Amino acid sequence: MEKAKQKRLEARGWRVGSAGTFLKLSPEEVALVEMKVNLSQALRARREARGLSQLTLAKRLRSSQSRVAKMEAADRTVSIDLLVRGLVILGAKPRDIARALGRETGAAA
Amino acid sequence: MEKAKQKRLEARGWRVGSAGTFLKLSPEEVALVEMKVNLSQALRARREARGLSQLTLAKRLRSSQSRVAKMEAADRTVSIDLLVRGLVILGAKPRDIARALGRETGAAA
DNA sequence: ATACTTTATGTCATTACTGACATAACATCA
DNA sequence: TGATGTTATGTCAGTAATGACATAAAGTAT
């Protein structure tokens, strides 16, 4: 798993190990979290590539800046659905979302 | 869009056209629905490939048979999160889910 | 036909997610 | 310095998703 990603997860209370599960997360949960993180990173990348602020994106999503911040932080309270909606609004096609979702992000097995 | 898929959608109240949007669904909404349908089909395929009943899958998901049925029907009340969780429980890896999500399903467009 | 298994659909109480708000932290710029 | 713009985090009322239940429908036997 990528270092930066791991740090972001741990800062949020997740327990993720460097080369697998560190503690307490089942393999299923790890997979879920990784997908969410991948989507959140894709969201931020797309937003920034378009030079949009979180606030502008929030308006297009009919949401709020704070929620967009949480989306990009892969907050526990953010659903995959919301992340996907955000990506779609930023012009991502299902293929793009699939690519982001399945992205291999780390060296660890 | 695949005929069977369209039929399933319309039976559920969705309005989807054969070669694009039929009526009332924005392109974003269409993309979302298509992704959900793709995931629901992948879920059913995986479950059946393993010879499991909806009831057994439901137990592994700590859910109910009726909800699994709704998942496979891409019911409005089921989230992408739930579909993804179901797939993961059936052994799907992020790559597998990505493949299912981005599958081109129809001739249209 | 009856019994059994599996799947489909409607309803509802509980839970999880969501948008909105407040506020903090950080940067940039005059 | 203060003002402005952006992002981060906590909280909470309202909403949407969830599991569970009942029941129907469809299939598979015997």
Side-chain angles (χ1 to χ4, degrees), chain B residues 62-77:
Chain B
R62 295 171 194 266
S63 181
S64 59
Q65 178 270 325
S66 61
R67 185 134 300 273
V68 172
K70 282 165 211 210
M71 289 166 76
E72 294 185 353
D75 189 277
R76 290 181 236 37
T77 72

Side-chain angles (χ1 to χ4, degrees), chain A residues 94-95 98, chain B residues 5 34 38 42 96 98-106:
Chain A
R95 274 185 68 86
Chain B
K5 179 192 297 184
E34 282 209 10
N38 285 343
D96 302 314
R99 257 203 314 278
L101 223 202
R103 185 123 56 216
E104 282 296 344
T105 51

Side-chain angles (χ1 to χ4, degrees), chain A residues 15-35:
Chain A
R15 264 5 27 178
V16 180
S18 46
T21 84
F22 184 31
L23 268 180
K24 286 280 185 345
L25 236 42
S26 72
E28 286 83 10
E29 291 171 319
V30 171
L32 257 354
V33 172
E34 281 208 11
M35 287 188 272

Side-chain angles (χ1 to χ4, degrees), chain A residues 28 31-32 35 79-81 84-85 88-89 94-95 97-98 101-102 104, chain B residues 28 31-32 35 79-81 84-85 88-89 94-95 97-98 101-102 104:
Chain A
E28 286 83 10
L32 257 354
M35 287 188 272
S79 70
I80 292 177
D81 293 71
V84 168
R85 273 195 276 139
V88 167
I89 287 200
R95 274 185 68 86
I97 293 166
L101 224 204
E104 282 297 343
Chain B
E28 286 82 10
L32 257 356
M35 286 188 272
S79 69
I80 293 178
D81 293 71
V84 169
R85 274 194 274 138
V88 167
I89 286 200
R95 300 188 68 230
I97 294 167
L101 223 202
E104 282 296 344

